[in-house]
Amino acid sequence: DQQVKQNSPSLSVQEGRISILNCDYTNSMFDYFLWYKKYPAEGPTFLISISSIKDKNEDGRFTVFLNKSAKHLSLHIVPSQPGDSAVYFCAANEDNAGNMLTFGGGTRLMVKP
Amino acid sequence: KAGVTQTPRYLIKTRGQQVTLSCSPISGHRSVSWYQQTPGQGLQFLFEYFSETQRNKGNFPGRFSGRQFSNSRSEMNVSTLELGDSALYLCASSLGAGSGGYTFGSGTRLTVV
């Protein structure tokens, strides 16, 4: 039973446009969410996070939105750049679960020049 | 500031053998978590160690074990290797309990033949 799902395995976007990556979760105990970017043969790189007490967090070109009632979060990248091409994972954490992260399956983003 | 260091980067083992992977966290980080990444199952949590104690454990068989030393370095061991254990094993470190601040290493690519 996947508690964190990324239903789009891939996404293609034109350079300069907005990229929107989506993530759904089922566990209502999750209270902290993170997005990671990953290149092949490398470890995931932390991008941005959001606590369940917020509905939006922004860091430069990256914004994460959280809709708790819908158990849905999204990552917006504006403007998209070719260097953003990678696999993006959303992850979730429960408050009493230490540093255990539950990951989604990932979305491969391709930004075309 | 040195990142999370995992050794070795690549490893080829034969079915039935055992293997030990090493992870050196960022200086000052006391929590070390291990993840397995496979094409079919994505990123799955193995276990987390904090101050030499296992704090959380994922849903993996007892063949997978780990430990943490007083200097926070961690090792994971897989005994009686199976073909399905072929994966990228990732280590992540963080300062302490709770959410955020996870930094991943580049991983160890294990191939079981």
Side-chain angles (χ1 to χ4, degrees):
Chain A
D1 176 36
Q2 275 189 292
Q3 297 187 67
V4 179
K5 288 185 183 179
Q6 292 176 256
N7 290 317
S8 298
S10 64
L11 175 68
S12 183
V13 170
Q14 205 67 35
E15 181 180 4
R17 307 295 290 268
I18 184 171
S19 294
I20 300 176
L21 296 100
N22 294 303
C23 180
D24 297 295
Y25 62 96
T26 57
N27 186 346
S28 58
M29 299 301 292
F30 288 145
D31 67 346
Y32 195 78
F33 303 89
L34 308 91
W35 283 94
Y36 283 86
K37 174 180 177 180
K38 188 180 185 299
Y39 296 111
E42 292 184 13
T45 302
F46 171 75
L47 278 175
I48 192 168
S49 62
I50 187 167
S51 164
S52 60
I53 63 173
K54 294 186 176 182
D55 54 18
K56 176 183 174 181
N57 189 25
E58 197 170 349
D59 184 1
R61 297 186 297 115
F62 302 93
T63 302
V64 57
F65 296 91
L66 175 62
N67 183 333
K68 282 182 294 183
S69 60
K71 293 190 175 68
H72 176 84
L73 65 154
S74 61
L75 174 68
H76 292 208
I77 306 173
V78 185
S80 301
Q81 299 173 354
D84 295 330
S85 298
V87 178
Y88 289 77
F89 291 93
C90 67
N93 178 255
E94 290 183 42
D95 182 45
N96 63 350
N99 290 322
M100 183 173 78
L101 296 179
T102 302
F103 281 87
T107 296
R108 180 176 301 279
L109 173 66
M110 292 163 283
V111 180
K112 298 178 180 177
Chain B
K1 185 176 181 183
V4 177
T5 303
Q6 291 188 246
T7 56
R9 284 298 308 272
Y10 302 93
L11 206 49
I12 300 176
K13 289 285 188 179
T14 305
R15 270 184 303 174
Q17 287 186 313
Q18 74 163 18
V19 67
T20 299
L21 312 181
S22 178
C23 172
S24 293
I26 290 173
S27 178
H29 284 194
R30 296 168 62 192
S31 169
V32 173
S33 301
W34 288 89
Y35 291 82
Q36 180 196 64
Q37 185 184 21
T38 58
Q41 298 295 322
L43 274 155
Q44 290 189 291
F45 173 79
L46 280 156
F47 26 65
E48 179 198 1
Y49 287 87
F50 181 80
S51 293
E52 302 178 65
T53 301
Q54 187 179 87
R55 189 159 62 173
N56 285 296
K57 190 177 192 306
N59 189 24
F60 278 82
R63 300 184 298 106
F64 291 81
S65 63
R67 60 178 176 168
Q68 186 180 33
F69 302 95
S70 58
N71 62 357
S72 294
R73 190 177 70 87
S74 177
E75 289 181 347
M76 68 162 280
N77 183 276
V78 187
S79 62
T80 319
L81 284 166
E82 300 176 0
L83 295 179
D85 297 333
S86 296
L88 180 66
Y89 290 88
L90 292 159
C91 164
S93 78
S94 68
L95 274 169
S99 309
Y102 310 95
T103 303
F104 280 84
S106 297
T108 294
R109 170 70 64 184
L110 171 65
T111 302
V112 182
V113 297

